[in-house]
Amino acid sequence: MTIILRLEIHKKEITFGEIATVISKSGGDMIAIDVIKEGPEMTVRDISVNVNSDEKQKMIIDSIHNLPGVSVKHVSDRTFLLHLGGKIEVKSKTTIDNREELSQVYTPEVARICMAIEENPKLAYNLTIKKNTVAVVSNATAVLGLGKISPEAAMPVMEGKAMLFKQFAGVDAYPLCLHSNDTEEMIRIIKALSPSFGGINLEDIASPQCFEIEQRLKKELDIPVFHDDQHGTAIVALAGLLNALKVTKKRIENCKIVVCGIGAAGIAITKMLLAGGAKNVIGVDRHGALNRDETYDNEMWNWYASNTNPSNEKGPLSSVIKGADVFIGVSAPNVLKVEDVKNMAHEPIVFALANPNPEISPEVAKPYVKVMATGRSDYPNQVNNVLCFPGMFRGVLDCRASDINEEMKLAAAEAIASTISEEELNEDYIIPGVFNDQVVPKIREAVIKAGYETGVAKKKD
Ligand SMILES: NC(=O)C1=CN([C@@H]2O[C@H](COP(=O)(O)OP(=O)(O)OC[C@H]3O[C@@H](n4cnc5c(N)ncnc54)[C@H](O)[C@@H]3O)[C@@H](O)[C@H]2O)C=CC1
Ligand SMILES: CC(=O)C(=O)O
Ligand SMILES: [Mg+2]
């Protein structure tokens, strides 16, 4: 993280060089200096410093406090500064400069537009924001890897998602964090909100509640509903795995694949792996491998146990990981130990996707794995749903799809994987970067094609 220290420095008592030395010795990496005020005796400067832990930040501030002639006036964190006032805003497409325009955009003339839509509801797509607008809806029960937090506290994540929608795909997305844990109430609220939107992106809703909410909304609404933590993650994970398997020259149908964390993301990843040809997937949650000799309270786990784990393996992760070709973690930090990685098959693939801290850190795992991926942007091979949802919604909005089906998801996974050519592919480049400008158009095209082929695309031009 980057902190900005505002320092008041009394020039006769201390030099800037002395302060810089102390910052560096305390573990800070100085990246910028801005002069805020300059006088003959005193200077005020903002020093931007990269630090890698809260402890280092404290050490730096304490060390400066111990110096003569310098005081810390203010400490700010660049990430916090970026969030001041929130990250998005609503902008009008035209200005209102006179009474005539006022009466057109608003009453009385706007009434004619209302009545046109009243007579032909499909005109909402042409005459309102609906065709380019998505609701990003969360109840904040499984936010990143933070678990359940308040809806207010989840807003920065949803605002961030809205920024990504806009920047990468031109989609207008509204963050809506609901104060509700009740499944029926959430379904009712989202259905009531739906007329304003061309699609619903469900986000960070804990399992198993997320399954019921998504399935019901998919049935009861005529706009696409997509729980991103399930399907976005699954699509990107499959894309990454298809390319990682090319690197290791293994075939998905011959691989033993261990998925850890059988929640929203883990179940959807497993379904996509099975759809993509995997035959031996074993799911592990807190109490070990899901197997057919157990009955679970969670209905999805009963489905899972009967459709995976063909050898009915039992026991903890450390046991079922033995001989596995692939580990995919969507669970919690530091769940996978280096000993587990050493016990995997030749040239193993490890996707440690828990955010913000992965199941095993790449520094620890990399010497023993062929392909390593995380959900983070600060390591190679970022397997993160951000690669999928902008292109997916661009596609479904543009063809006015009423649903996002399995064919569209598989097409999106293949489109992502195909952005990397055979020549480019290597163990540190199995998945395109978020800023690769081919990703959104490729997903869009693939999704639209699959949408028309399967009859869910409704736009006729
Ligand atoms: N890289 C990416 O694009 C994405 C990453 N994630 C990450 O995956 C994780 C899970 O997310 P969701 O599926 O949405 O949450 P979830 O709450 O639906 O599921 C998490 C599952 O992990 C299990 N789990 C927790 N600790 C475990 C442990 N020590 N061992 C085995 N299982 C354990 C839980 O019991 C639960 O079944 C989070 O860290 C999230 O940030 C989620 C979505 C996208
Ligand atoms: C990336 C994401 O959606 C998550 O970690 O929840
Ligand atoms: Mg999420």
Side-chain angles (χ1 to χ4, degrees):
M1 60 189 171
T2 306
I3 53 169
I4 303 172
L5 303 166
R6 178 158 294 181
L7 304 183
E8 188 176 287
I9 304 166
H10 294 269
K11 294 177 181 175
K12 284 196 184 132
E13 292 178 60
I14 193 159
T15 66
F16 186 72
E18 287 169 299
I19 300 169
T21 307
V22 162
I23 292 175
S24 157
K25 278 195 179 150
S26 311
D29 179 16
M30 254 176 26
I31 53 165
I33 304 158
D34 289 301
V35 178
I36 304 301
K37 212 180 328 158
E38 188 65 38
E41 313 237 306
M42 195 262 289
T43 173
V44 177
R45 295 190 187 185
D46 275 356
I47 322 292
S48 302
V49 182
N50 278 347
V51 284
N52 59 13
S53 66
D54 289 339
E55 293 74 48
K56 289 252 168 76
Q57 170 173 341
K58 189 172 174 316
M59 263 174 70
I60 292 169
I61 295 165
D62 288 348
S63 316
I64 296 174
H65 273 308
N66 290 335
L67 292 172
V70 53
S71 54
V72 180
K73 296 312 253 180
H74 190 63
V75 181
S76 47
D77 174 321
R78 276 242 291 253
T79 309
F80 272 78
L81 291 178
L82 198 74
H83 283 81
L84 284 181
K87 297 194 291 271
I88 56 170
E89 63 180 356
V90 173
K91 271 199 175 145
S92 303
K93 290 181 180 170
T94 57
T95 55
I96 308 160
D97 294 325
N98 51 53
R99 280 189 167 271
E100 190 194 353
E101 283 166 1
L102 176 64
S103 65
Q104 284 173 342
V105 302
Y106 198 50
T107 185
E109 290 223 30
V110 73
R112 292 197 294 117
I113 309 297
C114 300
M115 291 320 291
I117 299 171
E118 177 70 7
E119 277 164 33
N120 178 4
K122 282 192 187 143
L123 283 179
Y125 279 97
N126 296 343
L127 298 174
T128 75
I129 58 173
K130 186 177 175 83
K131 77 167 181 189
N132 199 45
T133 306
V134 167
V136 177
V137 188
S138 181
N139 66 351
T141 45
V143 180
L144 309 175
L146 306 173
K148 180 171 165 29
I149 57 177
S150 67
E152 290 84 354
M155 275 298 283
V157 176
M158 307 312 142
E159 289 182 21
K161 248 167 159 141
M163 282 179 86
L164 301 169
F165 264 116
K166 186 71 181 177
Q167 167 150 348
F168 293 123
V171 171
D172 294 306
Y174 284 83
L176 297 171
C177 288
L178 307 184
H179 200 298
S180 174
N181 281 343
D182 182 89
T183 299
E184 287 305 321
E185 186 181 47
M186 286 192 59
I187 292 169
R188 198 176 46 72
I189 292 170
I190 297 168
K191 280 176 70 178
L193 287 166
S194 67
S196 307
F197 298 98
I200 307 286
N201 180 112
L202 300 174
E203 191 67 38
D204 293 351
I205 300 173
S207 61
Q209 185 186 40
C210 61
F211 305 123
E212 164 90 12
I213 292 174
E214 189 197 39
Q215 278 159 18
R216 288 272 305 282
L217 288 172
K218 272 171 94 75
K219 247 190 241 146
E220 295 174 27
L221 287 177
D222 61 355
I223 55 173
V225 179
F226 184 78
H227 182 205
D228 189 37
D229 297 286
Q230 290 184 59
H231 314 299
T233 317
I235 289 165
V236 182
L238 180 63
L241 186 61
L242 292 174
N243 280 344
L245 290 171
K246 286 184 205 156
V247 172
T248 56
K249 300 192 174 51
K250 292 184 187 181
R251 297 175 66 86
I252 195 166
E253 56 270 32
N254 300 331
C255 286
K256 177 178 178 183
I257 305 175
V258 172
V259 177
C260 183
I262 309 306
I267 290 175
I269 287 172
T270 302
K271 285 184 175 169
M272 279 221 81
L273 293 173
L274 298 176
K279 302 268 185 274
N280 187 9
V281 182
I282 301 176
V284 181
D285 209 272
R286 293 174 209 263
H287 304 296
L290 302 194
N291 64 80
R292 281 188 293 288
D293 294 337
E294 306 268 353
T295 305
Y296 303 100
D297 292 341
N298 179 345
E299 258 320 302
M300 288 308 286
W301 282 13
N302 290 320
W303 172 89
Y304 197 103
S306 12
N307 286 278
T308 59
N309 198 353
S311 319
N312 210 24
E313 290 191 37
K314 292 171 192 157
L317 177 62
S318 57
S319 158
V320 298
I321 195 73
K322 289 180 183 147
D325 301 278
V326 180
F327 168 89
I328 301 179
V330 270
S331 53
N334 305 318
V335 168
L336 188 69
K337 305 297 171 210
V338 71
E339 283 312 311
D340 301 329
V341 178
K342 287 185 190 166
N343 285 332
M344 291 177 73
H346 179 60
E347 299 202 326
I349 296 167
V350 170
F351 286 8
L353 307 183
N355 283 325
N357 299 313
E359 281 77 2
I360 187 166
S361 86
E363 288 84 358
V364 172
K366 193 70 175 82
Y368 309 101
V369 302
K370 181 72 177 171
V371 182
M372 175 79 211
T374 67
R376 299 169 57 121
S377 47
D378 48 357
Y379 292 106
N381 295 334
Q382 183 185 19
V383 171
N384 192 298
N385 50 31
V386 58
L387 261 186
C388 176
F389 65 81
M392 174 61 81
F393 274 93
R394 185 70 277 155
V396 295
L397 290 174
D398 287 352
C399 70
R400 215 161 286 171
S402 55
D403 192 17
I404 295 173
N405 57 32
E406 297 310 305
E407 289 84 351
M408 291 155 94
K409 290 190 265 173
L410 266 179
E414 282 158 11
I416 296 170
S418 76
T419 52
I420 298 184
S421 68
E422 299 284 326
E423 297 74 51
E424 292 171 315
L425 188 66
N426 67 63
E427 58 258 43
D428 285 329
Y429 190 46
I430 53 152
I431 194 92
V434 174
F435 294 100
N436 182 325
D437 58 11
Q438 285 184 58
V439 175
V440 168
K442 280 204 174 222
I443 299 176
R444 174 188 178 276
E445 196 187 324
V447 162
I448 291 177
K449 184 165 175 283
Y452 280 110
E453 281 167 3
T454 54
V456 297
K458 302 290 180 219
K459 188 162 187 235
K460 295 182 182 46
D461 279 347

